Amino acid sequence: MVEANRKHSLLYVADPLCPWSYGFAPVFQRIREKYSNSIEFSLVLGGTQFGADAETFSDELVEKLRYSWKEVERITGRSFNYETLKRRDLRYDSEPACKAIISIQRLRPEVTFDFLDAISLEFHAKGADPSEQKTFATLSESFGVPTDEFQEMYARPETSLETLNDFQYGFSLGVTSFPALVFSDGFERGILSRGYLPFSEVDSMLGDYFRSIGKF
């Protein structure tokens, strides 16, 4: 039997360039707020597209993004800047933004989740270049991290390595789409959810579990 006072953990596997991760962010924030005393939350960055799979904005890519954005907007209510899709100078590459998040995680771990959403918001709703280091550095200041400290951490080889390790770890967990929640009761670990779910559904799954062990 699982001990009721055991600290449980939840891995949030997400990507700042993934529109469904962007749409799910408010849900995840509510989950963190409600279960902060029962669950330890950690982030694993997914790597929607990186390396050889990264690509510049093309007509084909833009149409895929437009379809996804409209679906996310319809279902979640989060807004998008469709003017961004008119540009062809942008590169759809998760690695720079994810490396920025790893940098912040090393410098101010307590703001990691909020910084993830801030980068995602800059791209999806404000039209910022998702691979522009200047955008990341400006955001870092708003989270209390001086630009020079952020840039030094961002440039470290180990930061790049940790970013790629996050991508591989997500794949090793069996996560192939984002966002995903991976839950552990301290003994076993498994995927709780794949893709977007409303708060009520995630809350119901977690609530049922904790009631079954006498925690709620």
Side-chain angles (χ1 to χ4, degrees), residues 140-186:
S140 74
E141 286 193 320
S142 69
F143 281 88
V145 177
T147 299
D148 57 343
E149 289 186 25
F150 170 82
Q151 291 176 331
E152 191 275 333
M153 182 63 72
Y154 186 88
R156 289 186 184 181
E158 58 264 36
T159 304
S160 295
L161 179 60
E162 187 173 344
T163 303
L164 296 176
N165 285 343
D166 253 37
F167 295 165
Q168 295 303 319
Y169 184 49
F171 296 145
S172 75
L173 292 170
V175 176
T176 56
S177 60
F178 314 110
L181 298 175
V182 182
F183 182 71
S184 172
D185 63 3

Side-chain angles (χ1 to χ4, degrees), residues 7-14 24 28 31 39-46 113 166-195 197 202 205-206 209-210:
K7 193 72 173 180
H8 299 71
S9 65
L10 192 69
L11 297 177
Y12 179 43
V13 189
F24 187 68
F28 184 64
I31 292 295
I39 297 175
E40 291 180 352
F41 294 93
S42 301
L43 175 66
V44 177
L45 293 163
F113 292 115
D166 253 37
F167 295 165
Q168 295 303 319
Y169 184 49
F171 296 145
S172 75
L173 292 170
V175 176
T176 56
S177 60
F178 314 110
L181 298 175
V182 182
F183 182 71
S184 172
D185 63 3
F187 296 106
E188 297 180 341
R189 182 173 62 197
I191 295 178
L192 179 72
S193 67
R194 290 183 174 90
L197 288 177
V202 180
M205 288 188 287
L206 291 173
Y209 168 76
F210 283 112

